[in-house]
Structures are given as C-alpha cells and as structure tokens.
C-alpha cells in the first residue's frame, strides 16, 4: 500500500500529466472539488468530499487540471493483487469493487464510493497536520489511512470477527504488544497479524474496548513515560524526542492537554496531584 498526500495551493489553474509505471488500483479522498481529470478519454470532475476508486494499467496516461482554489487529496494506491487480497479478506470478493480490480491490467475504470463524512474530513486534516516523527508518524498516518478504508469497507458490507471472547483475547494481545514496543510500535496491519485478526476489526474493536485508537493508546502511554523521563532529569526536548515528537512545542501542548500542566512545571509533587485526562 502506498499513501500519497497531495496539498497544492495555487492561485491559477495548472495542468499535470502522469504515466502509470505499473498496474494500479487506487482510492482517492478529495477534500476539495473542481479538479478535471482525463484518463485516456474517461473524463470526470471531482466534487467536494468525493471518494473515487479506480484502476489503470501500466503505461496508461492521465491529465488533470487543478482549480484556482487548489487541490487537497489523499490517495491510497495498491498493486491489484494486494487490493484483491484485501477485498477477499473482508468478504467483498463478489463486490463491484472487485470487478474493477479484476480489470486493472486491461482498462481504465473509475467509480464513486461513499462520500467523506465529518469524521473522514477530520481524519484527513489531521494527516496533513501531523506533528509526529519517525515510527510515530508512520503509525499515525497508517492508522488514519486504514480508518478511511474501514469506512468504505463497512459501507460495502464487512465481515464479523467471531465470538466476543476471541475478540477480547485478540485485542488484549494487541494492547500487551504495544506496551512492550512503545519506542518502535508496529503498524496497524502488522499489529493485527500479531493479534490474529484483520486490521479493520482491530481498529474498530480496539477503540470500543479501550476507549481510544491504537495510535491514541501509544500516544497516551508515551506521555505517561515522558512524565517519568522528566522526573528522571531529561530535558523537555529530550522527553519530546523519546515520545516521538520532532517539535518540542507540539509536545508541550500535547503534554498540557494530557496532564493539565506544562512539562517544564511537572514535578513529582504536581504529578501526584494532577490526574491524567486521557482522550
């Protein structure tokens, strides 16, 4: 899976041309509308909050004209074989999406999916504004991308995991693994494999069971560890780096939201008197 974040701000219309290096299946989430696409004779114009799925074979070309107000979109691109495995895993082997994937090496195809809702818009905006670095940034972006995909799979009709007891055991395995690997947490897909469940069910089930997303849980536990690091003598900049922030100011803001005080003011006494406000 390849994630492409495009944020082009232009005061003038501009045209781009692109040739696909390999067969591809993609889902595009458009925050802004008005872009005009021409994919070898298949022409369409995007609408605000529109989601489109499509395929294009290797060496096919496309051109697109961006409107004056700019272009902000998230594209999730797959090799067709990977997309087919994903749809099969979630019970969508006979869906219209699978019919499009099956054509990837032969023809260009495109279709509209369920439009972005308020949660989807907030997720995409958060992806562009993410202040994290390293593995934390990768996990955050992957979590958001899978959230966007999960909404589309749920709309198309996803699968059930099985018994509640099996689900609880799988989610507990996932949480315990995160606790043991806070410095270098796995991606959502890898964590789902470790827990023995599919990635979309992990994402939904984890929040229902523990009150926060996988990324939110890692961030929460890192903040708790950062408080200990500060007490042990680390500087704010060092604690920020350990918590996965490349910007100490962003870390300070997040720390204050979590504990109610700035990290520079955090002492053993204030930590004992200031309960964490999770979420």
């Amino acid at each position: 899976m390849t994630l492409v974040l495009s944020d082009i701000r232009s005061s003038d219309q501009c045209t781009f041309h692109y040739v696909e290096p390999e067969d591809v299946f993609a889902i595009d989430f458009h925050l802004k509308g008005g872009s005009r696409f021409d994919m070898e004779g298949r022409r369409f114009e995007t609408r605000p909050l529109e989601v489109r799925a499509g395929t294009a074979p290797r060496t096919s070309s496309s051109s697109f004209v961006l409107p004056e107000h700019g272009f902000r979109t998230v594209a999730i691109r797959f090799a067709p074989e990977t997309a087919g495995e994903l749809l099969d895993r979630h019970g969508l082997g006979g869906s219209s999406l699978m019919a499009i994937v099956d054509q990837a090496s032969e023809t260009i195809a495109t279709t509209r999916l369920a439009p972005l809702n308020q949660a989807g818009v907030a997720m995409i905006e958060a992806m562009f504004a993410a202040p994290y670095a390293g593995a934390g940034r990768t996990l955050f972006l992957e979590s958001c991308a899978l959230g966007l995909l999960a909404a589309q799979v749920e709309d198309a009709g996803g699968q059930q995991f099985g018994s509640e007891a099996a689900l609880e055991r799988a989610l507990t395995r996932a949480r315990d693994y995160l606790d043991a690997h806070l410095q270098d947490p796995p991606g959502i897909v890898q964590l789902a494999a470790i827990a023995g469940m599919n990635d979309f069910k992990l994402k939904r089930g984890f929040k229902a069971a523990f009150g926060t997303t996988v990324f939110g849980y890692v961030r929460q536990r890192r903040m708790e560890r950062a408080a200990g690091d500060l007490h042990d003598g680390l500087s704010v900049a060092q604690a920020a780096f350990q918590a996965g922030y490349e910007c100490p100011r962003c870390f300070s803001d997040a720390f204050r939201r979590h504990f109610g005080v700035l990290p520079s003011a955090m002492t053993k006494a204030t930590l004992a008197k200031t309960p964490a406000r999770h979420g």
Side-chain angles (χ1 to χ4, degrees), residues 35-49:
S35 302
R36 301 194 302 275
F37 287 79
D38 185 340
M39 303 172 68
E40 297 192 351
R42 292 181 179 270
R43 298 181 178 88
F44 61 90
E45 182 172 330
T46 61
R47 302 173 182 174
L49 310 186

Side-chain angles (χ1 to χ4, degrees), residues 33-111:
S35 302
R36 301 194 302 275
F37 287 79
D38 185 340
M39 303 172 68
E40 297 192 351
R42 292 181 179 270
R43 298 181 178 88
F44 61 90
E45 182 172 330
T46 61
R47 302 173 182 174
L49 310 186
E50 184 174 73
V51 179
R52 278 186 171 267
T55 55
R58 183 172 63 90
T59 73
S60 61
S61 62
S62 60
S63 63
F64 44 102
V65 180
L66 305 187
E68 293 180 358
H69 58 258
F71 180 77
R72 175 170 275 201
T73 187
V74 168
I76 305 174
R77 296 167 61 86
F78 305 86
E81 296 80 7
T82 304
E85 292 172 2
L86 175 71
L87 294 175
D88 273 334
R89 190 166 79 242
H90 295 285
L92 298 174
S95 67
S96 58
L97 276 180
M98 182 62 87
I100 293 177
V101 170
D102 288 341
Q103 304 176 59
S105 62
E106 302 171 0
T107 185
I108 290 173
T110 182
T111 187

Side-chain angles (χ1 to χ4, degrees), residues 13-271:
Q13 286 191 357
C14 46
T15 303
F16 294 85
H17 300 276
Y18 185 73
V19 177
E20 294 292 347
E22 301 292 342
D23 298 343
V24 66
F25 170 78
I27 301 180
D28 299 335
F29 302 83
H30 298 277
L31 279 187
K32 296 179 179 180
S35 302
R36 301 194 302 275
F37 287 79
D38 185 340
M39 303 172 68
E40 297 192 351
R42 292 181 179 270
R43 298 181 178 88
F44 61 90
E45 182 172 330
T46 61
R47 302 173 182 174
L49 310 186
E50 184 174 73
V51 179
R52 278 186 171 267
T55 55
R58 183 172 63 90
T59 73
S60 61
S61 62
S62 60
S63 63
F64 44 102
V65 180
L66 305 187
E68 293 180 358
H69 58 258
F71 180 77
R72 175 170 275 201
T73 187
V74 168
I76 305 174
R77 296 167 61 86
F78 305 86
E81 296 80 7
T82 304
E85 292 172 2
L86 175 71
L87 294 175
D88 273 334
R89 190 166 79 242
H90 295 285
L92 298 174
S95 67
S96 58
L97 276 180
M98 182 62 87
I100 293 177
V101 170
D102 288 341
Q103 304 176 59
S105 62
E106 302 171 0
T107 185
I108 290 173
T110 182
T111 187
R112 287 195 191 95
L113 302 181
L116 284 167
N117 56 20
Q118 185 175 0
V121 170
M123 202 172 296
I124 290 176
E125 294 288 7
M127 293 170 79
F128 282 104
Y132 313 106
R137 178 178 175 82
T138 300
L139 176 60
F140 177 73
L141 293 177
E142 184 186 53
S143 178
C144 290
L146 288 173
L148 294 171
L149 287 174
Q152 295 299 326
V153 168
E154 187 173 16
D155 183 75
Q159 64 181 18
Q160 297 299 315
F161 180 75
S163 72
E164 289 300 319
L167 174 61
E168 182 178 351
R169 287 194 298 271
L171 292 171
T172 299
R173 282 196 298 272
R175 182 192 61 186
D176 291 346
Y177 192 88
L178 290 175
D179 283 338
H181 298 83
L182 286 177
Q183 192 61 34
D184 187 23
I188 299 292
V189 175
Q190 181 184 355
L191 183 62
I194 291 167
M197 62 196 304
N198 74 58
D199 38 329
F200 293 159
K201 193 65 178 181
L202 169 65
K203 186 173 176 63
R204 292 193 297 269
F206 196 96
K207 186 170 185 179
F210 304 120
T212 186
T213 64
V214 170
F215 175 77
Y217 183 79
V218 171
R219 179 177 57 188
Q220 172 181 309
R221 294 287 288 113
R222 281 180 166 184
M223 280 295 174
E224 292 165 356
R225 188 180 63 181
D229 289 341
L230 290 167
H231 287 164
D232 290 340
L234 263 66
S235 67
V236 172
Q238 289 171 323
F241 178 78
Q242 291 292 335
Y245 286 80
E246 58 184 3
C247 169
R249 181 182 59 79
C250 296
F251 166 73
S252 294
D253 291 343
F255 194 96
R256 181 172 57 184
R257 288 193 299 271
H258 190 76
F259 287 106
V261 296
L262 287 169
S264 58
M266 181 62 81
T267 65
K268 290 183 180 179
T270 58
L271 180 61

